[in-house]
Structure formats: structure tokens, C-alpha cells
Amino acid sequence: MLFIKCDELRPGMRLARPIYSRKGALLYDRAHVLKDEQSIENIRNFGLMGVFILEPAEPVPPMTQEDIEFERFQTVMYHEIMEELGRIVKTHRQEKFPNICAQIIKSYGNLKKKITFQQGLRSTEDYIYKHSLNVGIIAAMITHSLGASLAEQNEAVMAGVIHDIGKLTLSFDLQSKLRCTSEEINTIDAHEMAGYPIIDDAFSSLPNVKRACNQARKALLDYVKGNEVDVSKTLLSARVLIVAGIFDKETAARVDDAPISEVLVIKRMMQRNDVFDPKVVQALVDSLNILVPGVSVELNTGEKALVIKTNDLDFLRPTILSFKDNSIIDLSNRRAYGDIEIIDIMKTMDNRYMMDLSKIKGLGITVEEPEYV
């Protein structure tokens, strides 16, 4: 699968991912062949930076119905958030914001199973809007997993969607930059704080929304600068925003930088309980499919292996199949395998496993089929 910019599209190319209209209507399905220049011009007119294209002999990658719906939902909500944030910046008033957050909570704040979180590719121009949407979605899932009240859930989702509104006045490069200098960090922080009067005006009846944004900002600024951090007295919505914001920022698929894997990001969070509330991090883990059957992993021994059974008690220690000798290793058995750890995931660009599990069933190994929502 390749990412091709719209001005580089050519007739005969096949789409790897569906393309939707702003209202969620399917325009081009997966495997659609771009037959002529008119089809390509239509895609360019959608305002897309580029699309994923299948290589000549590449099969269409697996997508469940839930994956497809998630991608459609992201497309629709991205445009709604972009319009609403622009309106709030100009008028300091919200119009569709409560409805946007209600849609996020309805769709992803009441799930009974884990989901596979799809990270669409971001450009510098659309980064803030897609980040705001994803942080809102993750906040909805985390608060649901924590058993938070509807009021707390709504507060966390609102903070997730609005928290970066001040950054819209930054240059596009700084809006999305992952690794910044000290000077750039201070510039970004100043713009973020400059957005708080807007949040104050638009959410005058919900002061905890701005309070959560500010508490999360302060904690993350101290974290980045190496200062002492203590989030124990912050609002729940702020602690959720910290975890959701960092998780999405570091796992985002960017044009100019490779994403960090979910495993690495969560492992780093687990090492900093002063910054990332362990209960909130666990709620994130409980909401997502990460080390599911079919995922290839790298071990600290230098070997590579395949996950064949999840471990709900400790997702970092599933049962795996070693590629070296086809041996089965139950990492939950610390007495036997306590010195073996998963270092990272080997994964494709779209974060979905690609191996056909049926190919290893002939070895007499019982594997779990992953569940998706």
C-alpha cells in the first residue's frame, strides 16, 4: 500500500481505502480503479491531500464493517469539527458543538467491546481537526471504561475536541510538529493559552472544560520540560485529556514523520505514573485492540513472533508463536518466560494485522480470532 498525493495519481491505480463525501456518502469503494483523468480530477476536487493506493499485485487489505464505519464517521465528523472550530474562533460562540460531542459519545462512548483504532494519514493543514476528533473519541471510550458519569464523559469529550483551538493561529508546521525546540514549545504554549479566552466565552456555563484544558496543558508542559509533575489533584477530564492527547499525537500517521506504535506509547505512559494516571491508561488499554491474534511482534531477545492469544490481565504478555522454531511462548507465565518481553509491534502503515491466521492452524495450534467492534 502506497500513499500517493493527488497530483501524482494516474489512470489504472486502485484505491486501498474508501473515499467518502463530507456527509458520509460512499464516493469510491476500496479496489476502485481510477479509469480516467475525470475520476482523478473528482478526487482532487474533494480537497484531499492524497489517497492510499494498492500496489499492482497487492490484494485488498482486510477491513471489517466496523472498520469501514469508523472511517466514514471520522470523515463526517472531521468536516463538522473543522467548520465548528472555525466558527468558534470567529464568533466565540458554539452552535453545533454539543451535537458533535453527543454524536461522538453515542457512537464510541458506550461500546461493549474493544475497537481497532484507525489512524488516517494527516497533513499539516488538517492535523488539528483530526487530532481534536480523535482525542474526543478516545476520551469517550476511556470515560466509558472508567464508569464515569455522563456529565464527566461529556466534559472530557468537550475538552478533547476544543483543547487545541488556540493552536489554529500557529503556522501549519508548528500545529503538527512532533519534536520541537524549547523556543518552539514556548511559542506553541503561548498560542494554546491565547485560545482560553475563546473557550471561556464559548463555554461560560461549563467552566470545567477550560479548567481541564489548562490543567492538562500545564502537566504536559512540565512533562516535556522535565519538571516535576503531579496530576493526582487534577480533574478526571484533565487526566483523560493528557492520556488521550499524547496517545493520538504520538501514534498519528503523518506525511513527514513515522508514527510511534501503540505499544511503545503505552509502555512509556506506564513508566510515568506522575503524569499519566494508571487507571486512565488502563481504561485506554481496555478500550483498544492492540496485541491481538495475528499481530507480529519483536522481542527483547532479538527474535520475532506472532501473537496467537491475548492476555486480558496484562496485554503486554500474550501467548506468542516464535518464528525462529515455531515454539509457543506463554508470556503470562513469568516463572518460565519472565525475562522475555515484547519490545514493539511489526505492523503495516494502516495499523491492521495482515497475516492470515489459517496459515498457522495446520501446525496444530489453537488460535483466537480477534473480536472487533
Side-chain angles (χ1 to χ4, degrees), residues 160-226:
V161 176
I162 200 69
H163 76 285
D164 268 351
I165 194 167
K167 293 181 181 178
L168 290 174
T169 54
L170 283 165
S171 66
F172 286 138
D173 288 343
L174 280 184
Q175 285 182 17
S176 60
K177 194 169 184 180
L178 186 59
R179 300 170 184 84
C180 300
T181 65
S182 296
E183 183 178 351
E184 288 171 336
I185 289 172
N186 290 333
T187 298
I188 293 170
D189 184 60
H191 280 258
E192 192 167 355
M193 287 193 295
Y196 290 162
I198 300 175
I199 298 176
D200 250 341
D201 291 343
F203 297 89
S204 57
S205 63
L206 295 168
N208 275 354
V209 172
K210 191 194 84 168
R211 191 171 295 126
C213 294
N214 194 36
Q215 289 179 352
R217 179 195 64 80
K218 288 181 178 179
L220 289 175
L221 184 62
D222 285 334
Y223 169 58
V224 171
K225 291 188 172 184

Side-chain angles (χ1 to χ4, degrees), residues 33-48:
V33 178
L34 303 179
K35 297 180 179 179
D36 49 39
E37 288 294 338
Q38 184 58 53
S39 298
I40 295 171
E41 188 61 29
N42 289 341
I43 292 176
R44 290 173 182 150
N45 290 336
F46 297 150
L48 300 176

Side-chain angles (χ1 to χ4, degrees), residues 281-344:
V281 175
Q282 186 59 50
L284 172 66
V285 171
D286 292 341
S287 301
L288 303 177
N289 287 312
I290 303 175
L291 291 177
V292 296
V295 170
S296 297
V297 296
E298 299 177 359
L299 307 177
N300 61 343
T301 60
E303 298 178 42
K304 296 176 175 56
L306 182 75
V307 175
I308 58 175
K309 185 177 182 181
T310 57
N311 181 354
D312 291 332
L313 297 179
D314 185 349
F315 88 105
L316 289 170
R317 304 196 69 82
T319 300
I320 58 177
L321 172 71
S322 172
F323 289 153
K324 181 180 179 181
D325 55 11
N326 287 338
S327 62
I328 299 176
I329 303 172
D330 182 0
L331 294 179
S332 67
N333 185 348
R334 291 181 178 271
R335 178 174 296 182
Y337 305 110
D339 58 336
I340 301 177
E341 295 180 357
I342 292 175
I343 291 191
D344 204 355

